[in-house]
Each structure stands twice: as C-alpha cells, then as structure tokens.
Amino acid sequence: MKSHQESPQDLVSQKHRGQKMIWHPFTQMKVGEHDHPLFIERAEGSFLFTPEGHKIFDGISSWWTCIHGHSHPKLTHALASQAAKLDHVMFAGFTHDPAIELCSRLHSWLPQNLSHCFFSDDGSTAVEVALKMAFQGQQQRGLTHKYKFGALHHGYHGDTLGAVGVGEPGNFYAELFSPLLLKCERLSVAEDPRRIVHHQENDLDSVLELDRINVQSFFAQFGNELAGFILEPLIQCAGGMRMWCPETLEEIRHQCDQYDVFLIADEIATGFGRTGTFLALDQTTVQPDILCLSKGLTSGVLPLSMTWATDAIYDLFLGTSESGKAFLHGHSFTGNPIACSVANASLKLFDEEPVLHKSQTLSDVLRTNWGTLSEMPQLTNVRTLGTIGAANFKSMNPGPGETKSATIGQQIHRKLLKEGILVRPIGTMLYLMPPLSTQPDTLKEAIFVIKNALKTL
Ligand SMILES: *Cc1c(COP(=O)(O)O)cnc(C)c1O
C-alpha cells in the first residue's frame, strides 16, 4: 500500500522501478553499462540539463523537432493559457479558434494550390492520412487500377505500417515487416554534388541526365499503377541525410502530371525553415498535391501534424451522406486546441524574430565551419543543406544490421555526450541539425569540439 509520507529512499526506489518498466524507442533494451538512458531534468534554448547540472548542446534539435530552442517563453505561455481555456474537444462536428487560426496563418506560407487541411497527431499519421487520401481519391475518380505507391530508395516516412511500406526496405529492419506492407515501387535518385563542400564543378550535368532517364523509365514502367508518389524534397533525412537535386524533383512532378499520380511531399523533417527556406519545396518550382507537416509545427512542444491537399483532391470526397465518399479517418486528439495554439505562437515567431533570417545566417555559419571537417581523414562527402550538416565515415559501408557501423556511431555519440554535445549518428553518417535559434558562436564551438573528438577517436 502507498503510504502518505514517502521517504527519499522510497522515491529513489520508485524511480528505479519505474525506469525499468520503460521500453525505449529504437533501443536494444538488453543494454550494457554505457547505454543507460540519460536523465534530463530541464531544457532551455539550445541546451539540455541533467539533474547534476551537466549542460548538453542539443545538436539534433531533439529528433529534429525543436526549431526555436527549448522552452521558448512565448510557446510555453501559449500552451498554458490555451490549456486553462479549452483543453480538448472532439473534432468531428466541433471546431475552435486555435485550429482555424492555424490553417489561415499557415496557408500564407505554403504553395497556394494547397487549400484544405486534415489534422492528425504525428508525422507517421500525417503520412497515413496522405496515403489513404491519395488512394481513396484515385478510386473515387474512377482510376481503380491505381493501387500502388511510388517512393524513393532510402526514403523514411515513419514507423506505422503504411508509412513503413513506402520507406526504404533496408532501413531500420523494415524488411521484416514486408508481408504486412502495401505495394510500393522505388526509384533511385543521385546525390546532389553541389551540396558537397569543395565539390567538383563538372559533376552536375551527368548526374542530372542520369536522374532524368531513371525518372522517365520508372514512370513509363509503373506510372499507370501508381495512386501517389511520396518523397522528402531535397533531402532524405533518416535515410542518411542524402541531399538530392531540385531539378530531379521537378522532373518527378512533371511525370506525376503525365500519369495522373498524386505527388505527396513529406516535409515533416524539412519544413519550418530547416533548409534555409520555409519549405524545402520553396527552392524548387514544384507544387505538390498533398503535403505532410509535423515535427517543427509546434517546435517540438506537443505532437501535432497536418496533411494539406488541393481543391481537386478535396472535391473528389464530396457527395451525399450515403455516397460513401467521405474521408472516414480520425484520431482521438485530432486538432487538439493546445497543440494548435502552440503552433500559432510558433508561426508568429517566423514574423517576429524573424526565424528565416536566423536560419539563413546559421546555414552560412554551418557551411563554413562544418566544411572544415573535410580536412578530417576519417570523413568523406562533407555536405550541408540549410542548417543540416552531414558527413560519412570512410570505408565502412553500413549494411543492414552491420555491427561495426553501429559501433563508430555509438562511440562518437558517447564521447561527445561527455563533452556536452548531443549528436546521434545514423549508422556511419554523422550529422548536425541544431535549433534554428542557436547562436552562431555556439555552433562554431560545437563543431570545434566535434573535430577534436574525431582526432582522438
Ligand atoms: C520523423 C519523420 C516521419 C515520422 O514522424 P513521427 O512523428 O516520428 O511519426 C515521417 N517522415 C519524415 C520525413 C520524418 O523525418
């Protein structure tokens, strides 16, 4: 029985028991000494703090979510005041100001053909919504032979089964689930040589030509069967920070038009200033049919996502109640008012601070400083896109489940945590993706520490 007076020892053992129950994501729970999860007590700006007061630079924005830095006062204020007013209401048959404000505020930042928005809770559900919307939309316009999806090799779109089905089969052991997955055809695109610091000028033409031929033959083969084609514009993040060509994206858009395929842009990682522009798509001429947003939407404060669609898609779902055409999808927390309020406060910062200006300054500082990593003999393919810097460890090809590749990433992760920097390499790929509000000097200092750590590895 729980007593009324808990002694400090009780609390310690309770904490110990509770922690042993927690099953962590992407984690082998049969862990060794080094791998106990680190307690974080509080966070502020670009830094996390342990209970002992150890200060850690959040070099990956807490899984790419936290664009304005942690515990931004304007976001925490929006959260608290909305919570006191309206915490939640079901979204079928009800609506509220925070959701309405969010749609109209965000719309001005998006490609203007996107005029309707469906709310859900996280990146994976935004992708599920997009896939179901594309498929049902094709069915309802009579293109019933379109039952497959197209996607890029190395793509990552989330961990629910629909999203896994359009991700790279070799990533994160997705292959295991193949009997459960939807039908997907995959296209390979080349990396963009312009993103590499000190690249050779003459690589580009042959890369673009090869991509163009691959895109065209892919669509000639599969275009008629595809309901939608999903991709992460300009950079495949979880797939290894693979930066690819805007021209190739434009060719895919063109082919989608030729074959009546809905183009789904997954900007869950790239949105909200991460690549130097509001969307990565803003660096191209492409307007997608469907757009998925999440991670940066509330700057990592609360889970929330949106799937935007065109009038043409929205109209395919209109009919009488008996027509069976409605989009019958929803989640308990759809359009949560507190999350919407935080997203509104986050968007206001894009005007007030202004965030895109900071993102561009940080992008320049990153390219200059991260670029110096190309001097390191262990590294290759040192590249940047906006505020994302990446590089690969040489001569260690990360095969599926390859232990050596995991070891180098874990080694550098542990070593840098001790030095007060959070990086979490994916296989043999080392990267930085700091909050956009990071001070340039903080970023320079972090890269300096990373370089020194690499020297002693
Ligand atoms: C993280 C991510 C997702 C999945 O989002 P969750 O919120 O983790 O479910 C989908 N697509 C991309 C590009 C992502 O980076």
Side-chain angles (χ1 to χ4, degrees):
M1 287 293 286
K2 187 170 178 275
S3 68
H4 289 290
Q5 295 265 303
E6 286 175 327
S7 70
Q9 289 92 324
D10 288 343
L11 286 176
V12 168
S13 72
Q14 189 191 55
K15 197 165 158 178
H16 187 67
R17 275 201 314 277
Q19 177 53 38
K20 284 185 97 162
M21 293 175 204
I22 296 176
W23 197 340
H24 287 273
F26 297 115
T27 302
Q28 171 49 259
M29 296 306 296
K30 189 171 160 42
V31 288
E33 266 257 281
H34 302 293
D35 287 324
H36 287 303
L38 194 64
F39 277 89
I40 298 299
E41 189 173 64
R42 65 183 191 89
E44 192 183 328
S46 300
F47 297 95
L48 306 167
F49 296 86
T50 67
E52 299 79 32
H54 186 48
K55 182 177 172 186
I56 300 166
F57 172 61
D58 188 354
I60 58 169
S61 306
S62 286
W63 264 346
W64 321 343
T65 60
C66 178
I67 49 176
H68 305 305
H70 291 275
S71 301
H72 192 292
K74 291 198 171 148
L75 303 194
T76 52
H77 173 75
L79 187 156
S81 56
Q82 182 58 43
K85 193 171 169 194
L86 170 65
D87 53 353
H88 187 53
V89 61
M90 60 185 284
F91 214 51
F94 297 86
T95 191
H96 47 73
D97 283 342
I100 295 167
E101 181 185 335
L102 179 54
C103 287
S104 52
R105 212 176 252 292
L106 190 52
H107 182 254
S108 66
W109 289 96
L110 302 182
Q112 287 304 293
N113 66 327
L114 299 171
S115 44
H116 299 278
C117 160
F118 196 95
F119 283 94
S120 59
D121 311 325
D122 55 48
S124 301
T125 57
V127 169
E128 299 291 330
V129 167
L131 298 173
K132 286 178 73 178
M133 215 178 242
F135 177 80
Q136 189 177 340
Q138 296 286 13
Q139 296 292 308
Q140 288 175 186
R141 68 169 167 174
L143 301 181
T144 49
H145 53 284
K146 289 186 167 287
Y147 65 100
K148 286 186 181 176
F149 285 90
L152 298 182
H153 266 295
H154 305 287
Y156 176 80
H157 302 286
D159 283 341
T160 53
L161 285 176
V164 170
V166 290
E168 166 65 40
N171 275 356
F172 310 118
Y173 307 102
E175 187 68 49
L176 174 69
F177 293 99
S178 57
L180 307 181
L181 304 179
L182 48 72
K183 294 180 180 60
C184 182
E185 301 295 344
R186 290 178 185 80
L187 165 69
S188 290
V189 292
E191 294 189 59
D192 186 341
R194 290 162 291 189
R195 307 296 179 199
I196 298 186
V197 187
H198 315 303
H199 66 275
Q200 317 259 299
E201 288 301 335
N202 54 3
D203 295 352
L204 184 62
D205 287 347
S206 54
V207 166
L208 290 179
E209 179 59 13
L210 188 65
D211 267 4
R212 203 171 56 79
I213 293 168
N214 285 339
V215 172
Q216 287 175 0
S217 60
F218 176 88
F219 276 87
Q221 192 177 356
F222 302 113
N224 286 325
E225 301 168 346
L226 302 182
F229 192 104
I230 187 167
L231 49 77
E232 299 162 79
L234 301 197
I235 175 166
Q236 304 184 281
C237 293
M241 298 301 167
R242 290 184 87 252
M243 302 171 187
W244 60 289
C245 301
E247 294 86 348
T248 305
L249 175 53
E250 286 163 6
E251 181 62 32
I252 294 174
R253 170 73 274 184
H254 178 65
Q255 294 296 319
C256 283
D257 289 337
Q258 300 298 305
Y259 289 92
D260 291 324
V261 178
F262 293 134
L263 179 62
I264 304 168
D266 176 350
E267 292 240 18
I268 290 163
T270 48
F272 303 97
R274 180 51 73 190
T275 65
T277 45
F278 189 78
L279 296 182
L281 283 171
D282 298 342
Q283 298 175 42
T284 74
T285 59
V286 169
Q287 296 200 328
D289 300 297
I290 299 178
L291 171 71
C292 302
L293 298 173
S294 184
K295 292 191 166 103
L297 179 57
T298 63
S299 189
V301 176
L302 286 169
L304 182 69
S305 61
M306 296 170 114
T307 305
W308 285 80
T310 58
D311 274 339
I313 291 179
Y314 183 78
D315 289 349
L316 292 170
F317 289 77
L318 302 180
T320 60
S321 317
E322 301 78 44
S323 66
K325 285 185 166 182
F327 188 50
L328 296 182
H329 185 103
H331 300 278
S332 313
F333 294 106
T334 300
N336 176 262
I338 307 175
C340 289
S341 288
V342 173
N344 282 321
S346 169
L347 281 176
K348 276 189 215 160
L349 293 179
F350 278 84
D351 297 318
E352 291 166 8
E353 292 208 330
V355 173
L356 287 186
H357 181 74
K358 285 187 180 177
S359 169
Q360 276 146 19
T361 307
L362 204 65
S363 301
D364 293 342
V365 173
L366 181 71
R367 188 145 179 105
T368 310
N369 289 268
W370 185 259
T372 65
L373 289 182
S374 29
E375 300 154 11
M376 309 297 296
Q378 312 95 312
L379 293 178
T380 178
N381 208 356
V382 178
R383 59 201 183 275
T384 72
L385 173 65
T387 64
I388 306 169
N392 290 68
F393 286 97
K394 270 184 199 158
S395 69
M396 286 175 229
N397 296 321
E402 214 221 88
T403 49
K404 194 162 181 219
S405 62
T407 311
I408 185 90
Q410 280 168 6
Q411 273 175 19
I412 192 85
H413 169 70
R414 282 182 207 136
K415 190 172 173 63
L416 283 168
L417 257 190
K418 290 205 185 99
E419 314 241 348
I421 295 179
L422 168 56
V423 293
R424 197 169 179 278
I426 301 176
T428 56
M429 190 274 300
L430 173 72
Y431 73 96
L432 264 187
M433 199 156 165
L436 307 184
S437 55
T438 301
Q439 293 300 318
D441 282 346
T442 304
L443 183 63
K444 286 183 201 165
E445 170 72 20
I447 294 171
F448 182 77
V449 175
I450 291 170
K451 254 174 111 166
N452 279 338
L454 287 171
K455 281 182 194 153
T456 60
L457 209 65

